[in-house]
Amino acid sequence: MEPYPGSDKRWLCHCPKGHEAHLRLTGVRTGKGCRMCATHGIDLAGPAKLYVVTHRKWKAVKVGIGACTGYTSRLLQHQRQGWQLYRAGDFTTGAAAYDVEQAVLDHLRGAKLCPFLTKDVMPNGWSETCSTDRVTADEVWAMVEEETRRAAGDYAPRAGARPRTALLFDAEAAAEEMRARGYEPLVSYPGRTNATWPARCTTCGHEGRPTFNAVRNRGQGCRICRTRAAQAKRAAATALKAEGMMRAVGFEPLEPYRTGQTPWRCRCTACGRESTPTYSNVSNGGTRCRFCSSKSSNAEQAAAGMRAAGFEPLEPFPGRATDPWHCRCSCGNEVMTRLSFVRSGTKGCKKCPRTGGRTDPAKAAAEVRQAGFEPLETYPGKTTDRWHCRCACGAEATVTLTSVRRGRTRCATCPRNDAN
């Protein structure tokens, strides 16, 4: 439409669909074309919005355009970053919105009001921001309204849907290539090599969303399989060292080494019992098995300790002092206690006054008799347990030692004294 200005100069041309476009020959050689026919970026031939947003924390105002539809719209992206919508206007085409936006930005740049933010603070759209200390959102929107009135006639909107990028690969051929590289596609080919493609790994069964481009060009495999392979590689490099250290401290490994934090089934060469230490604990100084350690006990010592405390074990020692152990108390009551509890003297049989600082039955009976009650059964063992007694009036009553200690001296049927 005009003489050739040079390879790096804008050249007014017509595209095959009749759209006017200013293109550079250098850009055309790299694949650029008509902006109205573009299959990416803002749709200049479709509806669009021009918006003004503000950011309170950054004290900034910004003007921009976009389709503003869908979860990935530019306006929603800004709102997730803390921007708040001030005003927005609808345009029949993105091209009309673009012209108004550029006219407003020309005014702001001419007055050296933008850009305000940097690319480090706002990677997308930083060049269209201004400081609210120098220009307000009202003033920016007034520029938008003025440029909208000055704008030429609207561009003709496109009839039909926006053109899509041509398929570079046949769908069946792409699916076969994915299968050859260890993926079973769960949906049909998405149409673009850089689009995520839900697929299942044929090795481990993990479902992921790789891109065809990453699988085909970079050989990207399943991330679960990559992690396991890396762990296996590290384990193979550390296995000999780990086995040597375990044997040096008295453990004989019974299974292959996996990771430093994974319990490793071993046999203690001192006591012959199996345990599951971790290589990390052993390498940090834990050199004894839990049965040989002073923090644990063997079966004979544990049983002797329980008998000395008045408990007869009804099952073999569970292995650790903190494990529950089924025993019979000297009073005949069966309990689930722990060797660590018995050693500390804080727990034991709940029915016995012997442990945990509980009240002696004789003292408890003396207390309720002093309050006017005669026990009809032995002390239940806890101050809050119900105790069947006979009141001084002859009626049977149920009391607790706690209520007696709080001042209870009669049953519910006793006549009350007048307050006078």
Side-chain angles (χ1 to χ4, degrees):
M1 296 179 65
E2 62 183 13
Y4 174 59
S7 61
D8 60 342
K9 304 294 183 181
R10 291 164 61 89
W11 195 3
L12 180 61
C13 306
H14 269 130
C15 82
K17 294 186 178 180
H19 302 134
E20 290 187 2
H22 287 85
L23 303 173
R24 294 181 175 88
L25 181 58
T26 54
V28 173
R29 286 173 175 171
T30 59
K32 293 183 178 180
C34 173
R35 64 176 187 169
M36 302 293 287
C37 299
T39 58
H40 59 279
I42 183 173
D43 186 2
L44 297 180
K49 286 182 181 291
L50 189 151
Y51 55 83
V52 173
V53 291
T54 60
H55 201 292
R56 181 176 300 178
K57 180 179 178 181
W58 295 337
K59 296 182 180 180
V61 60
K62 169 180 165 54
V63 61
I65 60 173
C68 301
T69 58
Y71 183 77
T72 59
S73 75
R74 181 60 62 89
L75 183 56
L76 282 180
Q77 293 176 10
H78 294 327
Q79 289 175 340
R80 295 186 195 109
Q81 294 178 338
W83 292 89
Q84 295 180 347
L85 179 64
Y86 174 73
R87 294 284 294 275
D90 294 318
F91 287 79
T92 55
T93 62
Y98 176 79
D99 289 344
V100 173
E101 179 203 34
Q102 293 302 310
V104 172
L105 290 175
D106 287 343
H107 284 297
L108 295 174
R109 289 165 182 159
K112 297 184 179 181
L113 296 175
C114 68
F116 169 58
L117 299 178
T118 63
K119 190 175 183 180
D120 296 335
V121 176
M122 186 179 183
N124 295 322
W126 63 277
S127 62
E128 301 150 359
T129 59
C130 303
S131 171
T132 54
D133 293 336
R134 301 186 62 191
V135 61
T136 65
D138 288 334
E139 293 171 336
V140 174
W141 186 254
M143 296 181 190
V144 171
E145 292 179 333
E146 178 64 24
E147 293 302 329
T148 302
R149 288 191 294 268
R150 293 181 181 178
D154 288 341
Y155 293 85
R158 181 186 54 251
R162 186 179 190 181
R164 300 185 62 183
T165 306
L167 295 176
L168 300 179
F169 294 92
D170 178 71
E172 288 300 326
E176 287 300 324
E177 189 162 351
M178 289 286 283
R179 294 187 184 100
R181 296 179 181 270
Y183 283 103
E184 179 60 36
L186 301 178
V187 298
S188 58
Y189 178 54
R192 292 183 291 118
T193 60
N194 61 346
T196 57
W197 193 354
R200 180 185 296 109
C201 175
T202 56
T203 302
C204 67
H206 174 73
E207 294 185 4
R209 300 174 65 87
T211 65
F212 182 53
N213 184 49
V215 175
R216 183 175 187 271
N217 297 334
R218 299 199 299 269
Q220 178 178 307
C222 168
R223 64 181 182 86
I224 302 298
C225 293
R226 293 200 308 270
T227 301
R228 290 176 179 174
Q231 290 176 348
K233 184 177 180 179
R234 289 194 297 268
T238 313
L240 293 177
K241 177 183 176 182
E243 290 175 0
M245 178 173 289
M246 297 297 277
R247 292 189 177 99
V249 299
F251 289 109
E252 181 61 34
L254 302 178
E255 62 183 5
Y257 169 76
R258 286 181 288 177
T259 66
Q261 289 74 34
T262 303
W264 195 358
R265 191 166 64 91
C266 301
R267 178 179 291 108
C268 177
T269 56
C271 67
R273 304 186 70 170
E274 292 186 9
S275 59
T276 54
T278 64
Y279 173 62
S280 177
N281 287 340
V282 172
S283 61
N284 289 330
T287 58
R288 299 185 63 187
C289 79
R290 63 187 180 94
F291 299 104
C292 298
S293 175
S294 59
K295 295 182 180 179
S296 186
S297 173
N298 58 36
E300 293 78 9
Q301 292 174 335
M306 294 298 282
R307 292 188 182 100
F311 292 95
E312 181 62 33
L314 300 179
E315 62 181 4
F317 177 53
R320 289 181 297 186
T322 56
D323 290 339
W325 198 356
H326 189 200
C327 301
R328 179 181 290 109
C329 180
S330 57
C331 70
N333 184 39
E334 294 188 7
V335 296
M336 292 295 294
T337 186
R338 291 174 170 84
L339 180 59
S340 59
F341 290 168
V342 174
R343 283 175 174 174
S344 65
T346 58
K347 294 281 185 179
C349 176
K350 293 183 178 180
K351 300 297 182 181
C352 291
R354 167 182 47 77
T355 59
R358 298 185 183 277
T359 304
D360 182 77
K363 293 181 180 180
E367 288 188 58
V368 296
R369 288 191 182 99
Q370 186 177 1
F373 297 97
E374 180 62 32
L376 300 179
E377 61 181 7
T378 58
Y379 176 56
K382 295 172 63 177
T383 61
T384 55
D385 287 346
R386 294 180 179 275
W387 198 356
H388 191 202
C389 302
R390 179 177 285 108
C391 181
C393 69
E396 295 186 2
T398 301
V399 299
T400 65
L401 186 57
T402 298
S403 64
V404 170
R405 288 176 174 175
R406 290 177 178 175
R408 182 176 181 181
T409 58
R410 58 189 177 184
C411 68
T413 60
C414 285
R416 297 178 177 273
N417 297 325
D418 293 338
N420 295 332

